[in-house]
Amino acid sequence: MKNIIIISVKQRKTVSVAVQEILCEYGCLIKTRLGITDSTDKKCSQTGLIILEFLGNKREINSMSKKLSKIEGVAVKSVSI
């Protein structure tokens, strides 16, 4: 089973440090990380998505998701496939 976590970040410049601190806390459980923004060569986007392939169990997924969701402008969804 694969656990995929999708993190939507608004106000990237404001919350990126707090998001990164939490991701580092769970870093050994993150197998794959992909970041997507709407940035162009003329504009830096303030929104983005982070997609994770997560090796942890449900308890660890819920723990990380809860911490991330406490940050204003961050939304988290997880899918197990």
Side-chain angles (χ1 to χ4, degrees):
M1 183 178 309
K2 300 279 186 187
N3 295 310
I4 306 298
I5 299 171
I6 303 166
I7 305 163
S8 172
V9 180
K10 295 185 170 114
Q11 306 293 323
R12 233 173 18 101
K13 289 183 180 180
T14 306
V15 303
S16 61
V17 171
V19 169
Q20 183 61 35
E21 285 177 356
I22 294 168
L23 295 180
C24 284
E25 180 181 341
Y26 292 87
C28 291
L29 299 173
I30 297 171
K31 181 176 181 182
T32 307
R33 176 178 171 171
L34 173 65
I36 302 171
T37 66
D38 292 328
S39 295
T40 67
D41 61 343
K42 295 180 175 48
K43 179 187 98 174
C44 182
S45 175
Q46 284 297 307
T47 62
L49 289 177
I50 301 169
I51 301 170
L52 306 176
E53 179 184 2
F54 198 75
L55 301 173
N57 59 39
K58 273 288 197 202
R59 183 181 51 79
E60 292 163 318
I61 291 169
N62 290 338
S63 175
M64 185 181 75
S65 296
K66 185 176 179 181
K67 289 178 183 183
L68 287 166
S69 295
K70 287 181 180 178
I71 301 170
E72 187 173 337
V74 175
V76 182
K77 296 286 182 185
S78 63
V79 177
S80 295
I81 56 172

